Amino acid sequence: ATSLYWYVANKDELLELAVDEVYGEITRILDLPGGEPAHWRELASRYAYGMRDMILRHPWLAQQIGSRPAIGPNALAAAERMVEAFEAAGFSGRDLDYAVSAVAAYTLGTALPEVAWRNGMAKLNMAEREWAEKVREEIERAAEHAPGLRAKMTEWMAQEDASVARRVAFDFGLVSLLDGLEARLRRR
């Protein structure tokens, strides 16, 4: 461990480097074969799925995002590609900033709680299906005065693979967000 500090000043600097290395995964996802520029929606989708997958693969990252600025070369390259694509599509001024930020905020807003959930399941040392069966009666009892909500909760808990359901829900939200940004762009 001490030899590591020949190269970095402290733990914070090491974490910044590690975070930026992981951002390199997103930067590589944004590169299209042949170096062609991507349509803003495609690039936004690549960014969002790349960010989500990156956070789920590296759960330690959840504690780092937002605690320090992502200003390493890989993080800045990913941000620059997003800005360039959105600008080429016609977003400008604050709309450009808000559109790019909306994609990042949506992605983080769905991925970070998923990491927390996975971490909680790991602490319980229990599979999600096992947990759902264990708490089913308690949840049904808690929602007995909200029959519509109770039916929905029961439906969600009965799914075979909750991770697939979360990915489908992520896709629904992302497509809806991009549709809204596209409608806003057309009105300009």
Side-chain angles (χ1 to χ4, degrees):
T2 55
S3 64
L4 185 61
Y5 290 107
W6 282 92
Y7 303 99
V8 294
N10 53 41
K11 182 180 175 184
D12 287 340
E13 188 177 323
L14 177 62
L15 285 171
E16 287 174 30
L17 290 169
V19 168
D20 194 60
E21 182 63 27
V22 175
Y23 263 97
E25 294 178 26
I26 294 174
T27 304
R28 288 184 289 280
I29 288 168
L30 298 180
D31 291 334
L32 291 178
E36 298 174 29
H39 184 271
W40 72 273
R41 281 186 72 119
E42 180 181 354
L43 196 81
S45 293
R46 285 171 171 257
Y47 176 87
Y49 280 107
M51 175 71 81
R52 178 182 184 270
D53 292 346
M54 177 187 72
I55 291 168
L56 296 179
R57 262 193 321 278
H58 304 286
W60 61 269
L61 194 61
Q63 291 182 334
Q64 302 305 314
I65 292 176
S67 66
R68 60 180 41 86
I71 55 173
N74 290 319
L76 293 178
E80 183 177 32
R81 288 195 183 117
M82 288 285 287
V83 167
E84 288 170 350
F86 277 60
E87 194 169 38
F91 289 97
S92 63
R94 289 287 175 216
D95 281 358
L96 171 63
D97 300 336
Y98 297 150
V100 171
S101 293
V103 173
Y106 171 74
T107 304
L108 295 174
T110 56
L112 296 178
E114 187 170 350
V115 167
W117 174 257
R118 286 178 171 202
N119 288 342
M121 288 291 102
K123 283 180 185 173
L124 291 173
N125 197 26
M126 188 179 294
E128 273 188 82
R129 296 280 317 141
E130 182 184 355
W131 175 86
E133 290 305 317
K134 193 171 185 173
V135 299
R136 178 182 305 280
E137 286 181 28
E138 186 179 335
I139 290 174
E140 287 178 359
R141 193 172 40 257
E144 69 185 349
H145 299 296
L149 180 58
R150 182 176 157 186
K152 280 305 214 187
M153 291 167 74
T154 301
E155 178 185 331
W156 271 92
M157 290 177 70
Q159 293 184 43
E160 288 300 315
D161 191 344
S163 64
V164 171
R166 282 191 292 273
R167 188 160 179 96
V168 170
F170 178 81
D171 185 61
F172 176 86
L174 180 62
V175 169
S176 298
L177 171 64
L178 297 178
D179 286 348
L181 290 173
E182 190 164 9
R184 185 176 183 93
L185 188 58
R186 274 185 289 195
R187 282 195 307 262
R188 295 184 94 221

